[in-house]
Amino acid sequence: MAAVSDPVELGAPWGPVRSEPPPTRFHPVHGANIRVDPSGTRATRVESFAHGVCFSREPLAPGQVFLVEIEEKELGWCGHLRLGLTALDPASLTIVPEFSLPDLVSLGHTWVFAITRHHNRVPREGRPEAEAAAPSRPPALLMEPYLCIEQYRIPRDRLVGRSRPGLYSHLLDQLYELNVLPPTARRSRLGVLFCPRPDGTADMHIVINGEDMGPSARGLPATQPLYAVVDVFASTKSVRLVQLDFLFTVPSLQTLCRLVIQRSVVHRLAIDGLHLPKGLKDFCKYE
């Protein structure tokens, strides 16, 4: 049996040093009911409940998390956001399918799941199915600073959703951190990534508020470009991209300052009483 290697920093290369990938953006090709803002970081379904399929503008790098936060919900629809990966180049699609499931998946080379806390975790050959159903780690460990997924170690800080600052925000933030809220609650953060394996394939993982849901699919073609798929479906109306600014490098000075400030106060409302520039206060409270 091959020895399990120690986790490494997210994006630390196995071979030659790679450049840092560009910031994540939505692809200009998307569903008919989607409007993407000029920055390419917010996608909103403007009508109906379908035609909300979006893609990442660039293929993901191994271990790179395509992370979205649910900004708006719309009552009256049954169903929620769907997330996954595709080896299809969005620019090659003459028409974006109405639904990611089953329409886009039926085109092949696409792996998409409806977001729930109980994904179809795929067991490895020779291992019991119960292993696939087991949580990746006990809830007590969700407060660890890093999320370890196979060979990658991802800073957990920005993976976790945060409530809007208010009277009970410090209590709501704990619910996001413990991942006890519904996975598609407003301001939940959901991500998808792939982890290459030695045999040339890759596992797809979905992350909900800083918790790895386990491999949702195996055998993805790691040698082909893989784009993220986000289906802004039914009760999910709008999502925004969350940038992980230290994917392939050390944390930025801005991020380090925010972490120090947040750890120095009881809860985010106390940040307003600090003698700091308004822009920095807002960054510490909202990001």
Side-chain angles (χ1 to χ4, degrees):
M1 178 181 297
V4 178
S5 59
D6 294 332
V8 297
E9 293 289 343
L10 174 62
W14 290 330
V17 176
R18 298 174 302 185
S19 60
E20 183 173 351
T24 55
R25 296 288 187 267
F26 286 113
H27 202 285
V29 173
H30 48 69
N33 288 336
I34 286 291
R35 299 295 180 267
V36 176
D37 76 336
S39 71
T41 62
R42 181 176 279 102
T44 303
R45 194 187 67 252
V46 294
E47 61 179 289
S48 184
F49 64 95
H51 288 290
V53 177
C54 305
F55 306 94
S56 60
R57 188 170 67 185
E58 306 288 344
L60 301 187
Q64 181 183 10
V65 183
F66 192 82
L67 186 67
V68 299
E69 179 178 283
I70 297 178
E71 285 250 296
E72 294 183 50
K73 306 276 290 184
E74 186 171 54
L75 299 177
W77 304 114
C78 181
H80 303 278
L81 181 130
R82 296 161 173 184
L83 193 62
L85 296 170
T86 183
L88 303 174
D89 184 348
S92 69
L93 298 175
T94 54
I95 298 177
V96 177
E98 182 177 7
F99 303 102
S100 60
L101 286 171
D103 300 4
L104 182 64
V105 171
S106 67
L107 298 180
H109 306 288
T110 302
W111 305 263
V112 175
F113 287 84
I115 291 297
T116 69
R117 191 166 282 114
H118 305 286
H119 286 286
N120 296 326
R121 297 187 181 89
V122 184
R124 299 203 181 281
E125 293 183 7
R127 297 188 182 182
E129 292 187 5
E131 178 191 86
S136 58
R137 52 184 56 229
L141 296 181
L142 287 179
M143 300 303 291
E144 291 182 355
Y146 290 94
L147 172 65
C148 296
I149 302 179
E150 299 192 17
Q151 68 268 43
Y152 298 104
R153 190 173 69 162
I154 309 165
R156 192 187 300 273
D157 176 53
R158 303 200 72 186
L159 296 175
V160 180
R162 309 182 72 201
S163 64
R164 292 193 180 280
L167 183 60
Y168 301 107
S169 59
H170 60 296
L171 299 177
L172 291 172
D173 286 349
Q174 293 179 10
L175 298 181
Y176 285 107
E177 291 170 356
L178 295 173
N179 204 12
V180 296
L181 293 174
T184 53
R186 191 167 177 265
R187 297 186 71 81
S188 280
R189 293 186 177 182
L190 314 164
V192 62
L193 71 154
F194 72 93
C195 302
R197 302 196 59 78
D199 63 0
T201 66
D203 295 345
M204 182 180 82
H205 288 251
I206 289 177
V207 177
I208 298 176
N209 286 319
E211 182 181 4
D212 175 26
M213 296 292 104
S216 297
R218 299 192 194 276
L220 279 67
T223 57
Q224 296 184 28
L226 293 172
Y227 295 82
V229 179
V230 179
D231 191 350
V232 187
F233 175 69
S235 63
T236 303
K237 182 175 179 63
S238 180
V239 298
R240 75 174 180 96
L241 289 172
V242 178
Q243 304 299 327
L244 301 181
D245 59 356
F246 42 91
L247 278 169
F248 292 84
T249 183
V250 297
S252 68
L253 180 59
Q254 187 182 45
T255 295
L256 291 174
C257 290
R258 174 171 57 86
L259 292 176
V260 170
I261 292 169
Q262 289 174 345
R263 291 168 182 170
S264 301
V265 296
V266 176
H267 56 78
R268 283 185 288 153
L269 287 180
I271 293 176
D272 286 327
L274 300 178
H275 296 289
L276 296 171
K278 182 179 183 301
L280 182 56
K281 289 182 182 180
D282 291 342
F283 180 68
C284 293
K285 289 192 297 181
Y286 291 97
E287 290 299 321

